[in-house]
Amino acid sequence: MRRIRSRLNDSSGLAIIVVAAVSMMLALCVCVLLPRHMTPRYGVQVRPEGSHFVMGAYDRSNTHIISVAAGDECRLYEGAELIPGGLRGFEERMAQWQADKPGQTTVVLVADKAAPSGVVQQLIDRVLARGFNCNYAAVPAWD
């Protein structure tokens, strides 16, 4: 039988293992951190329902995007800012939006799938009672 001997000394084998381990840790950090913290996100992350319909164009200068996050008590956000006080705080926030022609102001609701439909309906009713336009945002349905 023929014996095969390694030409690498003991320290070079250890160096290869250390470099491979560091590379694996770096790849793991990139895979975990990049999707969560490095990409830009606007507002609050919610998962809306799917729809086959398109909202269309709207005037962004008079538009307010309200995110409804699910939980024991639904939290409302305008952009990334929490609206304190729940529905009462939302009423106060809408009072600040009053314009000469309320029909030119649009409120886009982006509600999480898990948000109670009763809360979403109350928001829609309050927006429409003020005379504002109301859109309900969804993600594209691909089925």
Side-chain angles (χ1 to χ4, degrees):
M1 263 204 179
R2 193 173 188 194
R3 289 184 79 179
I4 300 175
R5 292 189 179 170
S6 173
R7 294 183 180 161
L8 297 174
N9 57 21
D10 291 336
S11 63
S12 62
L14 180 63
I16 291 172
I17 293 172
V18 169
V19 168
V22 169
S23 297
M24 291 289 283
M25 290 300 291
L26 182 62
L28 181 65
C29 288
V30 167
C31 290
V32 170
L33 295 178
L34 187 63
R36 294 196 177 145
H37 302 289
M38 303 295 264
T39 57
R41 291 189 181 164
Y42 303 100
V44 178
Q45 183 177 359
V46 295
R47 294 180 183 5
E49 286 290 344
S51 174
H52 293 285
F53 299 96
V54 177
M55 185 167 57
Y58 55 91
D59 181 12
R60 293 175 189 244
S61 63
N62 289 328
T63 299
H64 304 278
I65 299 174
I66 303 299
S67 300
V68 183
D72 292 340
E73 288 189 24
C74 290
R75 294 172 318 278
L76 305 174
Y77 295 87
E78 182 179 7
E81 180 186 349
L82 176 67
I83 299 174
L87 291 172
R88 182 169 290 146
F90 180 65
E91 284 281 344
E92 294 168 3
R93 183 65 59 102
M94 283 194 302
Q96 298 172 2
W97 301 338
Q98 283 292 1
D100 294 336
K101 297 180 182 176
Q104 294 178 345
T105 301
T106 301
V107 178
V108 179
L109 296 177
V110 183
D112 194 273
K113 295 185 207 191
S117 59
V119 172
V120 175
Q121 187 60 47
Q122 286 179 9
L123 289 170
I124 293 170
D125 289 347
R126 290 173 189 217
V127 168
L128 294 176
R130 290 259 182 189
F132 298 147
N133 295 319
C134 186
N135 288 336
Y136 188 69
V139 295
W142 298 109
D143 53 18

